[in-house]
Amino acid sequence: MDAEAQESFREFVANRSSALLKTAVLLSGGDRHAGEDLLQNALIKAAGRWHRIEEPEAYVRQVLYRQQVSRWRLKWPRRELSVAEPPETGTAPDTSGAAELRLVMRGALARLTARQRTVLVLRYFEDLPEGEVARILGCSVGTVRSATHRSLARLRVLAPELAVLGLAADEQRPSCDHSPVEVRQ
C-alpha cells in the first residue's frame, strides 16, 4: 500500500471505527471483545484490498456480516457457559429509561442465537431491506421474513421486560387522541 492509500485507510479507521464497532458488538451478542475481534479482522481484510475498494464502509460492513455468518455456520461452535444472571460489568448504573432499555436489549440479543441476532441487527439496527439482508446472508427473502418473525417472537419470550420498558417510554410521550396505538405481543 502506498503512502496515500495508507493515509486514506488511517482516516477511514479514525472516522468510522466507532460506528462499525457498535455494529460488530451487536452482531457478537453484546460481547465487546468479540466485536473488536470481528471488526479488526474486517479491517485487516479491507487494508489488503484498500486500493480496489470503491465504498470502504459498505465493504467493511459486508465483511462483518459475512464473518458473523461464517461463525454461526461452523460445525464446531464455541462452547459457551450459560448463566442465569449476567456478571456485573462494574459500570455506574444509568437511571434514564433509554439506558435501561439499551441494557435490557443488549442482554436479550445476547440470549438469541447468532443467526437470530444477525437477522435482527441487519433488519432493524442497520435498517436494511429484506432483499439486501437475503443477499448478505445468502438466502431467500422468504427465509429472511420467517427468520425475522421467529427471532422477534423468541426475543419477546426471552425478554418480556422489553414490552414493559417500551410501554413505559411511550407513556412519557404526548398522546394523539385521533390515532390509537395498538400493541401486539
Side-chain angles (χ1 to χ4, degrees), residues 29-107:
D31 183 349
R32 183 168 177 89
H33 297 292
E36 289 171 349
D37 289 345
L38 191 65
L39 179 59
Q40 182 178 6
N41 290 335
L43 290 173
I44 288 169
K45 288 184 179 187
R49 299 174 178 249
W50 191 252
H51 62 281
R52 291 180 281 186
I53 299 174
E54 292 180 22
E55 295 183 38
E57 185 162 352
Y59 180 86
V60 171
R61 286 182 184 276
Q62 183 78 25
V63 172
L64 285 173
Y65 306 145
R66 290 188 179 184
Q67 284 182 339
Q68 184 61 27
V69 167
S70 294
R71 283 184 180 181
W72 50 260
R73 284 187 178 162
L74 289 175
K75 288 184 180 180
W76 301 102
R78 293 184 204 172
R79 301 287 180 211
E80 296 179 5
L81 176 64
S82 297
V83 293
E85 294 290 325
E88 293 296 322
T89 60
T91 59
D94 189 348
T95 58
S96 73
E100 183 179 359
L101 180 61
R102 217 172 23 252
L103 290 172
V104 170
M105 179 59 81
R106 181 178 292 155

